[in-house]
Amino acid sequence: MSYLHASEDRIDAYARQAWALSELLIDHFGGQEEHNVLSDEIMSCLMENLSDHLERIREINAEQGGQS
């Protein structure tokens, strides 16, 4: 497996996790009151986690010489 392919796999993994987190955040803050069951503290942690995933993607792109 090449380094480039491994980096793409890491980006895909972070992107899938970020997508799942964004879906959860949209459900929570999208005005669907019946889904609004998570505390603000938990949602804040999820948003931080989403930010971390996106930062990892930027770092991997930078390692490859891509744009962040």
Side-chain angles (χ1 to χ4, degrees), residues 28-41:
H28 180 74
F29 291 112
Q32 299 177 5
E33 294 298 324
E34 66 274 6
H35 294 286
N36 194 358
V37 295
L38 299 175
S39 73
D40 289 340
E41 184 177 335

Side-chain angles (χ1 to χ4, degrees), residues 1-16 57 60-61 64:
M1 176 186 305
S2 72
Y3 176 75
L4 181 60
H5 185 67
S7 295
E8 289 173 357
D9 287 346
R10 289 172 45 211
I11 288 172
D12 286 345
Y14 283 120
R16 282 191 301 274
I57 292 170
I60 294 167
N61 280 330
Q64 295 176 346

Side-chain angles (χ1 to χ4, degrees), residues 7 14-15 19 21 26 33 35 38 43 45 47 52 63 65:
S7 295
Y14 283 120
W19 180 267
L21 286 169
I26 288 168
E33 294 298 324
H35 294 286
L38 299 175
M43 293 311 296
C45 291
M47 286 187 278
D52 289 343
E63 289 173 5

Side-chain angles (χ1 to χ4, degrees), residues 38-67:
L38 299 175
S39 73
D40 289 340
E41 184 177 335
I42 291 172
M43 293 311 296
S44 176
C45 291
L46 290 173
M47 286 187 278
E48 288 177 24
N49 193 284
L50 176 60
S51 178
D52 289 343
H53 288 305
L54 297 175
E55 183 59 31
R56 297 299 156 266
I57 292 170
R58 286 186 199 101
E59 289 173 0
I60 294 167
N61 280 330
E63 289 173 5
Q64 295 176 346
Q67 295 178 343

